[in-house]
Amino acid sequence: MAEEHATTGGMTRQPVDLLEHPEQHATVSRHDLHEFESRLLSDLFAIVEEHTADGRTDIDRERVEAAFIFACEHHADQRRKSGEDFIVHPVGVAKICAGMRLDTATLCAALLHDTVEDTSASLDEVREQFGDEVATLVDGVTKLTGITFQSRDEAQAENYRKMMVAMASDLRVILIKLADRLHNMRTIGAMAKQKQIDKARETLEIYAPIAHRLGIHAIKWELEDLAFATLHPRKYQDIKGLVNQQRIEREDYVEKAGQYLNRELEAVGIRAEISGRAKHFYSIYSKMTRKGREFNEIYDLTAMRVQVDSVKDCYGAVGVIHSLWKPLPGRFKDFIAMPKFNMYQSLHTTVIGPEGLPLEIQIRTREMHDMAEFGVAAHWIYKEGPGARGKPAPPEGESKLKWLRSMLDWQQELQDPKEFMENLKVDLFDEEVFVFTPKGEVKSHAAGATPLDFAYEIHTELGHRCVGAKVNGKIVPLHYQLKSGDIVEVLTSKRERGPSRDWLAVVKTTRARNKIKQWFKQESRQDTEHSGRTLLQEHLTKAGLPPQ
Ligand code: MN
């Protein structure tokens, strides 16, 4: 079912033979665009245009237009709760997808995403007119739309697993789904109050974390702020008010500091684009509640973003910044050398800026910026998109695979949906530590991870044979909590030993826990099989039958 049920309104449409390019739309039923519809379509194409200009996408507009017309016709008599024509919604979703620079098939599927569920259109029709790729995407989204999450109930968790599978088969399905949710959240005001609360909670518990995991921060932040505004309207207004109080001063401060920095960077030959960065209300709120801080104790409200041309310039820029303003100890983070699990890369530092005020600065290249905003979507475009500029993808290509792999692992191994949900929470919300193998490879883990997690991350066998570990050259207990920068060496036994049940209490990551459980499951299966066979043989012998 669609997230918002379409209601049937009284809009009538007169078919007129006024196609602009009749020969190109031979398979599309005839339809003229109302003025309102033409405007919607050109809004969408305006976004496409923006990204075509920078050479990163190459959209087949005729196909997109055909999908638009198909959607207009099939949603013709439907209205949204707000009273608007339903077509506003699929176009809204397609616009968000276009903003992520997704491809033609995704834009078509976004436009068509509610047609099979909510209108007389069939999946076969969609396939016939738009091909297999689009039909498969529409089908994927339709299936996901049938799933609703109320809470962390088992049934919901089971649904979540289905979602993971859909994602693993084609990430574009979840990207459309996220865009769908975002558009629905933007227009949530028209819904009944209880429904608003349910949707907002689900958004905060399920969709925002997925966006985070996929590295799509542009969507994550907006989803969070919209859900926050719905769930805690008063707190939202409070924080918004506080942020706005000194907004002008803050923006002014960042701008002046930025101009100064720009001149200094230019002097050493680094070209930079410097901008202020707005903090998101929900992130301020969660910082206040999580760390028990008052609003005025959150000192990184003033933030600056520095975009440069190359990785080398990132490090060059941070050198200049630290020579101009004193860095706050412990606040410099190198997520370029050590990307986060969701492919995020940047240098972070906080300095005591001009006027003695703390200033948070992020330094990144343009590619890194796209990754930070669009995550997997950006990665996918850089790597496979038709507009890819032939640059090698950043090294985190692996992260995407790693992510998909863990999704599939979970799906296959976790029998208990409730446990799945708990694991997901752990994996999504924990901070990360970065440790090294003896060869200097970086591995990232959830905070609190132990040498056992590290061993299982590298290889299942390595985990099973682990007897101890050395951290920075010293033997440590297996429950040792890894810290960023540790060099970890796993000590193994020569012969196959298998894990110990106690390890389940020690490990922190889903992967390690699953591998250990799997080992025991297999072992007990072998036991059961063995005793079953013996029992059968005994009975057969008793009955005087040959025990083969
Ligand atoms: Mn929808």
Side-chain angles (χ1 to χ4, degrees):
M1 279 209 283
E3 297 226 321
E4 176 177 313
H5 291 277
T7 52
T8 303
M11 189 172 157
T12 50
R13 184 182 299 285
Q14 254 125 61
V16 183
D17 290 39
L18 270 178
L19 280 175
E20 265 180 276
H21 314 283
E23 69 289 349
Q24 283 151 348
H25 297 304
T27 57
V28 178
S29 38
R30 293 167 181 188
H31 181 96
D32 65 317
L33 294 182
H34 293 198
E35 194 194 322
F36 169 67
E37 291 165 342
S38 317
R39 207 161 358 104
L40 283 179
L41 188 62
S42 38
D43 283 355
L44 172 60
F45 282 147
I47 297 174
V48 169
E49 184 61 45
E50 225 175 277
H51 299 310
T52 315
D54 63 18
R56 276 185 287 189
T57 41
D58 185 13
I59 297 292
D60 180 344
R61 294 179 189 217
E62 274 153 27
R63 279 184 75 202
V64 173
E65 187 170 347
F68 174 75
I69 291 169
F70 185 95
C72 280
E73 287 185 344
H74 284 86
H75 291 297
D77 53 354
Q78 295 172 329
R79 302 268 169 135
R80 307 196 81 210
K81 284 262 161 59
S82 59
E84 285 174 306
D85 288 344
F86 191 87
I87 189 67
V88 168
H89 170 64
V91 173
V93 175
K95 278 160 81 175
I96 294 166
C97 290
M100 289 192 270
R101 303 189 191 109
L102 295 171
D103 63 353
T104 304
T106 314
L107 296 191
C108 291
L111 288 165
L112 301 169
H113 83 271
D114 277 329
T115 54
V116 172
E117 185 65 33
D118 280 352
T119 77
S120 59
S122 72
L123 191 62
D124 286 338
E125 267 175 88
V126 171
R127 182 169 290 118
E128 215 170 277
Q129 294 200 19
F130 302 97
D132 266 342
E133 193 186 4
V134 172
T136 308
L137 290 173
V138 171
D139 190 38
V141 179
T142 306
K143 283 184 180 139
L144 284 188
T145 304
I147 298 172
T148 51
F149 307 96
Q150 298 302 331
S151 64
R152 293 169 225 174
D153 290 341
E154 291 187 20
Q156 305 307 338
E158 180 58 36
N159 283 334
Y160 204 4
R161 284 171 52 186
K162 286 186 199 147
M163 193 151 179
M164 296 300 160
V165 178
M167 268 190 252
S169 58
D170 193 329
L171 273 168
R172 290 175 296 177
V173 169
I174 194 64
L175 298 176
I176 297 170
K177 188 66 205 165
L178 284 171
D180 180 42
R181 174 50 61 106
L182 179 56
H183 189 258
N184 281 327
M185 285 302 294
R186 282 179 185 169
T187 51
I188 199 170
M191 285 190 179
K193 193 70 204 160
Q194 188 54 46
K195 192 131 191 215
Q196 288 190 26
I197 290 170
D198 291 346
K199 289 284 166 199
R201 195 169 291 146
E202 186 183 87
T203 297
L204 219 46
E205 286 188 357
I206 309 280
Y207 289 96
I210 289 176
H212 177 60
R213 174 131 288 242
L214 294 173
I216 311 170
H217 294 106
I219 287 188
K220 178 206 167 197
W221 285 319
E222 194 179 343
L223 284 177
E224 283 180 346
D225 276 359
L226 290 166
F228 176 41
T230 306
L231 291 174
H232 307 286
R234 202 169 304 154
K235 280 178 198 143
Y236 177 85
Q237 286 306 332
D238 282 353
I239 290 181
K240 196 173 168 184
L242 288 165
V243 170
N244 283 339
Q245 260 174 25
Q246 291 161 13
R247 167 164 275 160
I248 307 285
E249 288 92 324
R250 258 199 320 270
E251 282 173 0
D252 206 43
Y253 175 66
V254 171
E255 197 182 324
K256 278 198 193 116
Q259 283 166 358
Y260 174 52
L261 176 59
N262 222 339
R263 280 195 300 274
E264 296 292 322
L265 288 173
E266 244 168 55
V268 296
I270 297 175
R271 222 161 42 110
E273 236 174 82
I274 298 177
S275 54
R277 189 168 62 86
K279 271 270 178 203
H280 299 270
F281 302 135
Y282 182 73
S283 72
I284 295 171
Y285 170 72
S286 51
K287 212 170 225 178
M288 286 165 71
T289 46
R290 217 179 44 224
K291 299 191 177 165
R293 295 231 181 104
E294 290 296 317
F295 181 79
N296 56 16
E297 291 175 287
I298 296 175
Y299 59 84
D300 48 5
L301 286 172
T302 314
M304 183 193 276
R305 183 170 291 148
V306 180
Q307 243 184 70
V308 294
D309 292 335
S310 65
V311 170
K312 198 174 114 235
D313 283 354
C314 290
Y315 291 103
V318 86
V320 171
I321 289 165
H322 285 178
S323 71
L324 294 176
W325 301 308
K326 263 205 179 13
L328 280 183
R331 300 276 303 181
F332 174 64
K333 289 190 187 115
D334 185 346
F335 295 118
I336 293 179
M338 290 173 243
K340 291 197 187 191
F341 69 88
N342 58 16
M343 313 188 291
Y344 177 87
Q345 286 188 298
S346 277
L347 299 178
H348 288 190
T349 187
T350 304
V351 298
I352 301 298
E355 301 168 36
L357 293 171
L359 180 62
E360 193 186 70
I361 306 177
Q362 295 177 344
I363 305 135
R364 51 173 73 150
T365 64
R366 179 170 180 181
E367 276 82 358
M368 289 174 198
H369 180 68
D370 285 348
M371 289 293 173
E373 293 285 305
F374 305 121
V376 161
H379 176 85
W380 185 72
I381 287 152
Y382 276 111
K383 202 147 188 216
E384 294 152 41
R389 288 174 293 177
K391 289 194 179 174
E396 334 68 36
E398 197 183 299
S399 305
K400 181 176 157 194
L401 292 176
K402 191 171 138 190
W403 188 82
L404 290 175
R405 188 189 67 193
S406 68
M407 289 296 123
L408 288 173
D409 273 3
W410 289 353
Q411 170 66 18
Q412 283 163 6
E413 291 163 16
L414 284 174
Q415 295 306 313
D416 180 2
K418 207 167 166 188
E419 187 185 355
F420 175 81
M421 212 64 175
E422 276 157 22
N423 279 328
L424 182 85
K425 300 266 155 187
V426 172
D427 280 12
L428 283 177
F429 295 114
D430 276 17
E431 306 273 324
E432 284 176 283
V433 292
F434 298 95
V435 298
F436 296 89
T437 68
K439 285 182 185 156
E441 264 176 274
V442 185
K443 300 278 168 193
S444 70
H445 288 288
T450 64
L452 277 173
D453 293 299
F454 175 86
Y456 276 103
E457 177 60 37
I458 291 178
H459 200 281
T460 308
E461 267 313 297
L462 190 66
H464 288 343
R465 297 166 84 131
C466 178
V467 288
K470 275 185 181 175
V471 168
N472 306 324
K474 282 191 194 128
I475 301 251
V476 295
L478 285 177
H479 63 260
Y480 172 86
Q481 294 205 345
L482 299 174
K483 291 183 210 52
S484 279
D486 281 350
I487 300 169
V488 189
E489 188 183 342
V490 177
L491 307 174
T492 55
S493 69
K494 288 214 179 65
R495 44 187 194 84
E496 167 85 44
R497 260 175 50 112
S500 139
R501 279 198 188 270
D502 305 338
W503 290 5
L504 287 170
V506 174
V507 296
K508 177 89 175 175
T509 58
T510 315
R511 183 177 167 79
R513 188 172 305 120
N514 289 343
K515 292 293 174 193
I516 295 168
K517 281 191 180 164
Q518 212 177 23
W519 193 89
F520 281 112
K521 232 177 255 167
Q522 201 163 350
E523 171 147 277
S524 73
R525 201 161 44 232
Q526 278 165 2
D527 279 359
T528 324
E529 210 176 273
H530 182 73
S531 52
R533 195 177 298 133
T534 320
L535 212 65
L536 183 65
Q537 276 173 354
E538 277 171 19
H539 280 281
L540 289 172
T541 320
K542 264 187 209 161
L545 294 164
Q548 283 141 357

